[in-house]
Amino acid sequence: MMQKKKVIVVGGGMAGSSATFYLQKWVKEKGLPIETLLIEGKDRLGGKVQTVVKDGFVVERGPDSYLKRKQSMTKLVEELGLGDKIVSNTAGKSYVYARGKLNVMPKGAFMGIPVEVRPFIFSGLFSPLGKLRAGFDFILPASKPKADQSIGAFLRYRFGDQAVNNLIEPLLAGIYAGDIDEMSLMSIFPMFYEVEQKYGSVIRGIQKMMPKTPKQSNSSFKVNSRKGMFNTVTTGLESIIHAIEARLDEGSVMKNTRVLRIEKLAQGYHVYLSNQQVLFADAMILATEGRALAKMFPKDDTLAWFGNQRATTVGNVALVFSKSAIEKDIDGTGFLVARNNGFAITATTWTHKKWPHSAPDDKVLLRCYVGRPGEEGIVSQADEEITSVVLEDLRKTMNITKDPEWAIISRWEEAMPQYTVGHKERIHKAKAYMRENFPGIYFGGGSYEGSGLPDCIDQGIAAVQNILEFLALSDQRESVPIVV
């Protein structure tokens, strides 16, 4: 009988958990000679995926959804038997607080880019000069070819500071918790650069690429009338992690254990653990953050840059009220805050409207976000102080007459990895270096090639496929039941 190959997965977030799930699934289906162990440093799997279910509420402490167009997440949920729990968000109005008031997010914008010109022209987000400057995208020549540049520098050239500061930056910074003037264009939105180079205009390029959709009248807008572009599950995203763990082989998960060091052997690797054990691995998937990966190779200068990867500290405050406590309500599902508007919060979601399953009918659930590059100190404040600051900001947009019934405050210290300029090339070089110097070890997860949940799953699947090929089991790759 062929001796079993030993594969160790390090990190039990979405990338590591899903990679282990699929590897074990394919091992069983094809009778592959592989033994898998998942090692997690904390006492639970899931990483940033955490859900609190309380008093009829479903409160996400980390991510609350995923883009439905990225199919790997939906496929995983269905394979776990949770397909009937999938729901889409309510596509209500969204706002941006800028120029001293809440302004409706212009319709027809793609990641803040004004694809439909008319709503942009009539928006209160911009002055007449700001609108005129944004229109320069139609007449400016394509930028000079560059290997990479910041998102901010590229978009400011195309649209000007006001359009970027009042619409694009709040949206992108809200998603990535980063500084767009340092974030890598080619790692995050290479499409913007590609369409500009091809069509000479970002707007024209996106217009040609986007499918035509029927126009909808503002006057007929009703909350719950349309489905949005995001999905979640009614039982909370952490239920996906629980479902994965329940299907993993007995004894194949080791928690509360950190990988301290990886040592290369003539064949395979020794893996030194915090519990004093030393394990052997034929191949590995490192689904940890970059800084943790760097520590596993303490004498390797080439991988040291992983240890210096920037990560932003953020937090969120979930507040529960009775509906009677909100006298001035707003027809929508949330708002973003442009910088330099005197707000500590960066965004607020009216979660009970965006996700009606998340709260009882007579209650209000608001989720407010704090922390951005240069403004991270608030996250370390005491619960009472954060709640007080958040309520003060909320009262600038809503008439709240009562204190919240309860609150859940989540802090994520240095948890949002930043893809700064040159990130894509650094990842490319690191992968090539690993192939040459540490064959059979592959990395993936939020620090590397996409931080969304489907992106992490895709990277986990890609790592598993690489493992099968490395272990001379590449003929089994045709069995992979997912289209990434």
Side-chain angles (χ1 to χ4, degrees):
M1 293 180 63
M2 183 182 296
Q3 184 176 0
K4 284 190 175 182
K5 301 291 186 179
K6 293 180 172 56
V7 177
I8 292 179
V9 181
V10 185
M14 184 57 77
S17 295
S18 60
T20 307
F21 168 76
Y22 279 115
L23 182 54
Q24 291 188 359
K25 179 176 184 290
W26 300 333
V27 164
K28 292 169 188 163
E29 289 178 351
K30 298 296 180 178
L32 303 180
I34 294 176
E35 180 181 304
T36 307
L37 176 66
L38 171 61
I39 300 175
E40 166 56 41
K42 297 183 179 179
D43 62 357
R44 56 175 294 278
L45 301 184
K48 300 182 186 71
V49 178
Q50 294 186 22
T51 308
V52 175
V53 179
K54 175 181 177 182
D55 300 338
F57 293 86
V58 180
V59 181
E60 300 290 359
R61 307 193 72 158
D64 72 348
S65 59
Y66 65 93
L67 276 170
K68 65 169 66 174
R69 66 178 173 82
K70 297 188 175 183
Q71 292 296 307
S72 55
M73 183 75 172
T74 296
K75 179 68 174 178
L76 173 62
V77 173
E78 290 173 345
E79 289 203 49
L80 293 169
L82 298 175
D84 61 335
K85 309 296 183 185
I86 296 175
V87 291
S88 299
N89 67 297
T90 296
K93 291 180 183 177
S94 298
Y95 299 81
V96 180
Y97 192 95
R99 307 183 76 203
K101 64 177 182 178
L102 285 177
N103 300 270
V104 177
M105 184 87 70
K107 285 194 173 184
F110 176 78
M111 302 308 294
I113 305 297
V115 179
E116 292 183 23
V117 176
R118 182 179 174 83
F120 182 83
I121 291 175
F122 288 98
S123 173
L125 277 168
F126 320 101
S127 69
L129 285 177
K131 295 171 184 177
L132 179 64
R133 175 61 183 87
F136 280 22
D137 175 65
F138 289 108
I139 60 175
L140 286 172
S143 58
K144 294 181 180 179
K146 291 183 179 180
D148 199 5
Q149 59 188 298
S150 75
I151 296 174
F154 175 80
L155 294 177
R156 291 182 196 283
Y157 168 70
R158 301 304 315 175
F159 300 103
D161 287 340
Q162 194 174 111
V164 171
N165 293 342
N166 290 0
L167 178 58
I168 300 172
E169 192 274 344
L171 182 60
L172 298 189
I175 296 171
Y176 298 100
D179 183 343
I180 67 168
D181 291 307
E182 295 186 0
M183 292 161 59
S184 164
L185 177 68
M186 299 308 290
S187 293
I188 300 174
F189 284 112
M191 184 187 75
F192 290 167
Y193 176 77
E194 290 163 3
V195 297
E196 184 233 27
Q197 293 291 303
K198 182 175 181 179
Y199 298 103
S201 161
V202 176
I203 294 175
R204 277 198 297 266
I206 295 177
Q207 285 174 338
K208 290 180 179 294
M209 295 181 66
M210 290 183 68
K212 300 295 183 182
T213 55
K215 294 183 178 181
Q216 300 194 14
S217 170
N218 282 338
S219 61
S220 64
F221 174 82
K222 299 287 184 182
V223 171
N224 297 331
S225 64
R226 293 185 294 129
K227 291 185 177 181
M229 64 176 68
F230 297 96
N231 278 351
T232 191
V233 290
T234 56
T235 47
L237 290 175
E238 192 171 355
S239 66
I240 299 171
I241 300 297
H242 295 323
I244 291 175
E245 188 169 9
R247 286 161 176 77
L248 297 183
D249 295 342
E250 185 176 354
S252 67
V253 178
M254 180 184 294
K255 301 177 184 176
N256 292 309
T257 306
R258 292 178 294 110
V259 172
L260 301 179
R261 179 165 57 92
I262 297 171
E263 180 182 276
K264 184 179 178 181
L265 306 174
Q267 294 290 329
Y269 299 90
H270 272 159
V271 183
Y272 294 80
L273 307 181
S274 58
N275 62 6
Q276 309 302 315
Q277 285 185 271
V278 180
L279 304 180
F280 173 81
D282 290 287
M284 300 182 70
I285 298 174
L286 305 182
T288 66
E289 63 176 19
R291 289 168 298 174
L293 184 152
K295 292 178 181 178
M296 299 175 199
F297 303 90
K299 297 181 180 180
D300 196 297
D301 294 336
T302 304
L303 298 177
W305 75 266
F306 278 119
N308 298 318
Q309 185 178 18
R310 299 180 192 176
T312 307
T313 294
V314 296
N316 61 77
V317 181
L319 301 169
V320 167
F321 301 89
S322 64
K323 281 195 173 177
S324 62
I326 312 294
E327 289 190 358
K328 179 187 174 184
D329 201 357
I330 298 172
D331 179 15
T333 56
F335 67 89
L336 302 165
V337 180
R339 281 183 181 264
N340 304 319
N341 275 271
F343 275 65
I345 59 177
T346 60
T348 293
T349 301
W350 291 296
T351 306
H352 61 291
K353 293 183 178 182
K354 183 178 179 181
W355 302 107
H357 72 275
S358 67
D361 291 340
D362 60 341
K363 299 293 183 180
V364 168
L365 174 60
L366 306 180
R367 194 175 186 223
C368 306
Y369 301 83
V370 295
R372 53 160 59 108
E375 301 176 18
E376 299 166 280
I378 185 174
V379 181
S380 63
Q381 293 181 5
D383 288 3
E384 297 78 8
E385 294 173 343
I386 296 179
T387 302
S388 176
V389 169
V390 166
L391 285 170
E392 182 180 348
D393 281 353
L394 285 176
R395 290 189 174 105
K396 297 173 185 176
T397 65
M398 310 172 70
N399 185 12
I400 302 174
T401 62
K402 299 177 184 178
D403 291 334
E405 296 179 2
W406 48 269
I408 295 176
I409 297 175
S410 304
R411 296 174 177 83
W412 297 100
E413 300 285 343
E414 296 187 320
M416 301 298 291
Q418 299 300 295
Y419 297 179
T420 54
V421 175
H423 178 85
K424 186 175 182 179
E425 180 62 22
R426 290 192 292 270
I427 293 296
H428 176 76
K429 289 181 178 178
K431 284 188 171 184
Y433 179 80
M434 294 295 286
R435 285 194 298 270
E436 181 177 350
N437 296 277
F438 298 98
I441 297 183
Y442 306 93
F443 58 79
S447 291
Y448 312 109
E449 295 179 289
S451 57
L453 296 178
D455 301 316
C456 290
I457 294 170
D458 292 343
Q459 292 176 72
I461 292 171
V464 170
Q465 292 172 327
N466 286 328
I467 291 283
L468 295 180
E469 183 173 359
F470 173 76
L471 296 177
L473 297 166
S474 57
D475 59 319
Q476 303 297 336
R477 294 180 65 181
E478 63 181 357
S479 68
V480 175
I482 257 190
V483 177
V484 177

